[in-house]
C-alpha cells in the first residue's frame, strides 16, 4: 500500500498591531496649536501639544515577523504619509 | 540675631503625558471601516481596524500625581468625549 505524505499546512495566527502615526518634529501641527490654545482658555497651562493617530488592527499571519512586514507595507501605502509622518508598530498576539 | 526661616519654594518639574483616546468598543467607527475597505482594495487582508487619537503634551507640575490629575481634567473637559470615548494616560519625566 503506498504511503501518503501530507505536507504541513501553514498555520496562520491572529496578530494585533498597534500603530502610532505622528507628525515629524519639523512639521507644524496646527491641530496641536489649536488644542494648546483651547486648554489655556480653560485655565490649563501646557508647554506643547502634538496630535497623532493611533490605529489598532488585527490580521492573520503565519508569524510575527510576517505580520510586521505586512503592517509596515500598509503604513507606507495608506496609513501614514512618510513625507511628513513617522510611524511606530507594535505587534502582539 | 534673629533666625530667618525660608519656606521651601515648590519645585515644579517638566512631565510628558502620552494620551490614547479610543472609541468605546460599542461605538461604530466609520473611519476604521473606510480604512479597512481601502486596505482590502490594496490587497491587504485585515480583520478589523479602529482609529483613535494619540496626543503628546508636556506640562509643569510639582509631582507626577498632580500631573496625572491635571491631564485627567484636560481629557474630561477637552481632549476626549467621555460619552463615546475612552482615554488612557501615561506620565513620564
Amino acid at each position: 500500500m503506498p504511503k501518503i505524505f501530507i505536507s504541513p499546512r501553514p498555520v496562520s495566527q491572529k496578530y494585533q498591531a498597534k500603530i502610532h502615526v505622528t507628525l515629524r518634529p519639523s512639521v507644524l501641527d496646527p491641530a496641536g496649536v489649536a488644542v494648546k490654545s483651547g486648554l489655556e482658555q480653560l485655565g490649563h497651562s501646557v508647554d506643547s501639544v502634538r496630535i497623532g493617530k493611533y490605529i489598532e488592527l488585527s490580521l492573520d499571519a503565519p508569524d510575527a515577523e510576517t505580520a510586521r512586514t505586512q503592517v509596515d507595507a500598509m503604513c507606507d501605502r495608506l496609513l501614514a504619509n512618510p513625507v511628513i509622518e513617522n510611524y511606530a508598530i507594535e505587534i502582539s498576539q
Side-chain angles (χ1 to χ4, degrees), chain A residues 13 15-17 59-74 89 91:
Chain A
Q13 287 175 300
Y15 288 92
Q16 299 286 325
L59 74 163
D60 288 316
D63 55 68
E65 203 41 59
T66 311
R68 182 176 294 277
T69 310
Q70 284 180 17
V71 175
D72 208 60
M74 292 178 203
I89 300 167
I91 300 282

Side-chain angles (χ1 to χ4, degrees), chain A residues 21-39:
Chain A
V21 180
T22 49
L23 281 170
R24 287 178 187 268
S26 58
V27 177
L28 197 72
D29 177 7
V33 173
V35 165
K36 180 174 187 288
S37 151
L39 287 171

Side-chain angles (χ1 to χ4, degrees), chain A residues 54 71 86:
Chain A
Y54 173 61
V71 175
N86 291 327

Side-chain angles (χ1 to χ4, degrees), chain A residues 5-82:
Chain A
F5 292 99
I6 300 170
S7 70
R9 201 163 134 257
V11 180
S12 94
Q13 287 175 300
K14 207 165 276 303
Y15 288 92
Q16 299 286 325
K18 292 178 181 178
I19 306 159
H20 289 88
V21 180
T22 49
L23 281 170
R24 287 178 187 268
S26 58
V27 177
L28 197 72
D29 177 7
V33 173
V35 165
K36 180 174 187 288
S37 151
L39 287 171
E40 282 166 353
Q41 281 174 32
L42 288 172
H44 297 288
S45 143
V46 287
D47 286 338
S48 74
V49 180
R50 301 284 287 178
I51 298 183
K53 280 177 287 180
Y54 173 61
I55 303 165
E56 283 180 341
L57 57 84
S58 61
L59 74 163
D60 288 316
D63 55 68
E65 203 41 59
T66 311
R68 182 176 294 277
T69 310
Q70 284 180 17
V71 175
D72 208 60
M74 292 178 203
C75 286
D76 271 333
R77 295 180 73 188
L78 186 79
L79 302 177
N81 178 351

